[in-house]
Amino acid sequence: MSREASIELIQSTTPKELSELYCSIRRTKIPYYLVKEEVLHVHPRVSLFHEVISEDDIRTLRRYTLQQVNKPSPAETEFVDLGMTIYQLNERKFRRLSDKLSRRMSLITGLSTHLKSLQSDVEDFQVVNYGAGGRFPQHSDCRSEPLWTSTDDDQLSLSPYIRFSGDNIATWINFMNDVREGGATIMPNLKVRVTPVKGSALFFYNYKRNGNCDLRTQYGTCPVALGTRWDAVKLIKQGGQIFRRLCDISVD
């Protein structure tokens, strides 16, 4: 999508929609933690959390990713025509950092982010690199069978540690660098456009509380016009959230 089209998305937002947006400091109880939240959309909730990953943590993630580049794994996926590469990291090789970042996500979102060897609550980090012109078409992270309809056959293609963990109930995207020009994340259905800010994280749900996939939060990436873009994506599974994100009392 062109820069002009992205700007139109913002300009078409109504005054009422804009009036509902706000920024705040959120406080957790135990352990105590402060986080800056910028609400980009209210229903469904789309939030940008600022300063949630440090410069040192970003360097460590980049270092592990570059080590994997030197020794490509079968999980590495390259979209040549889109100018992007996805690296599925093995967090067991940097568990101390992984656990720290996961605990912070759990504190902020209230969801379980425990990485387990079986029926894990989350997937391993996916580090995504966009080169010049790199983009990703509009898509949804609702990608497999929901937990309550999963069968043995449809789980065989998944990694063993996430079988019967359910689909991706929510998405967390750490922005690991500022993009000089282009490379914004857009949600056309919600008229949301997010410019990557180093150290911040974008969070949204892929499922409604009634158990249906929420296609309103489909998202894509505008082409990177100048520079490059690095993300660290965490997909949060349904299985660990049974008692944390309850169904609503209405199917709507």
Side-chain angles (χ1 to χ4, degrees):
M1 177 172 288
S2 67
R3 184 177 178 84
E4 290 75 14
S6 299
I7 292 174
E8 287 178 6
L9 291 173
I10 302 300
Q11 292 176 340
S12 64
T13 304
T14 66
K16 183 179 183 303
E17 290 170 331
L18 288 173
S19 69
E20 296 176 336
L21 307 183
Y22 62 91
C23 297
S24 67
I25 301 293
R26 288 179 55 178
R27 297 171 174 83
T28 63
K29 294 182 179 179
I30 301 173
Y32 186 74
Y33 181 71
L34 293 176
V35 62
K36 303 174 185 176
E37 180 185 15
E38 183 179 351
V39 177
L40 306 177
H41 199 274
V42 178
H43 303 292
R45 182 72 160 244
V46 178
S47 297
L48 184 67
F49 295 104
H50 293 272
E51 300 175 9
V52 293
I53 181 169
S54 69
E55 183 74 40
D56 287 342
D57 293 342
I58 290 172
R59 278 197 297 266
T60 302
L61 277 174
R62 290 279 295 271
R63 185 172 68 252
Y64 279 111
T65 304
L66 292 175
Q67 289 175 359
Q68 182 166 309
V69 172
N70 295 330
K71 300 177 180 178
S73 70
E76 178 184 323
T77 306
E78 185 171 3
F79 296 87
V80 178
D81 57 332
L82 299 177
M84 62 176 292
T85 307
I86 300 176
Y87 300 99
Q88 187 85 40
L89 301 186
N90 183 352
E91 292 187 26
R92 292 147 193 84
K93 295 182 178 179
F94 56 103
R95 199 60 190 258
R96 184 175 179 180
L97 173 59
S98 167
D99 287 347
K100 181 177 77 169
L101 295 178
S102 293
R103 284 195 301 270
R104 187 168 298 164
M105 286 181 220
S106 183
L107 274 175
I108 294 171
T109 65
L111 301 178
S112 176
T113 57
H114 187 205
L115 184 67
K116 298 182 289 188
S117 57
L118 291 174
Q119 297 183 349
S120 179
D121 298 340
V122 292
E123 290 189 18
D124 283 316
F125 269 117
Q126 295 177 0
V127 172
V128 186
N129 174 236
Y130 299 85
R135 60 186 177 83
F136 202 60
Q138 183 178 339
H139 66 287
S140 172
D141 281 339
C142 298
R143 296 192 302 207
S144 63
E145 295 296 322
L147 180 64
W148 45 89
T149 64
S150 297
T151 64
D152 290 338
D153 290 339
D154 62 48
Q155 298 295 300
L156 289 176
S157 62
L158 302 177
S159 298
Y161 78 105
I162 57 169
R163 288 175 186 168
F164 296 102
S165 291
D167 202 3
N168 307 317
I169 193 173
T171 299
W172 175 282
I173 305 175
N174 284 303
F175 296 123
M176 297 200 291
N177 71 313
D178 298 316
V179 181
R180 295 179 65 184
E181 194 69 38
T185 294
I186 57 168
M187 294 181 169
N189 298 329
L190 302 180
K191 307 172 187 175
V192 169
R193 178 178 183 271
V194 186
T195 300
V197 177
K198 187 175 184 179
S200 64
L202 181 65
F203 174 76
F204 53 90
Y205 283 97
N206 303 307
Y207 270 81
K208 300 177 182 177
R209 283 189 179 271
N210 63 7
N212 293 331
C213 185
D214 195 344
L215 297 179
R216 296 173 297 175
T217 55
Q218 288 183 328
Y219 68 103
T221 304
C222 296
V224 174
L226 190 62
T228 185
R229 170 174 161 171
W230 287 87
D231 299 341
V233 181
K234 178 66 74 172
L235 297 175
I236 303 173
K237 315 301 284 187
Q238 291 171 327
Q241 322 313 326
I242 293 176
F243 300 108
R244 290 175 178 258
R245 191 176 193 247
L246 303 180
C247 297
D248 209 345
I249 59 174
S250 167
V251 295
D252 298 325

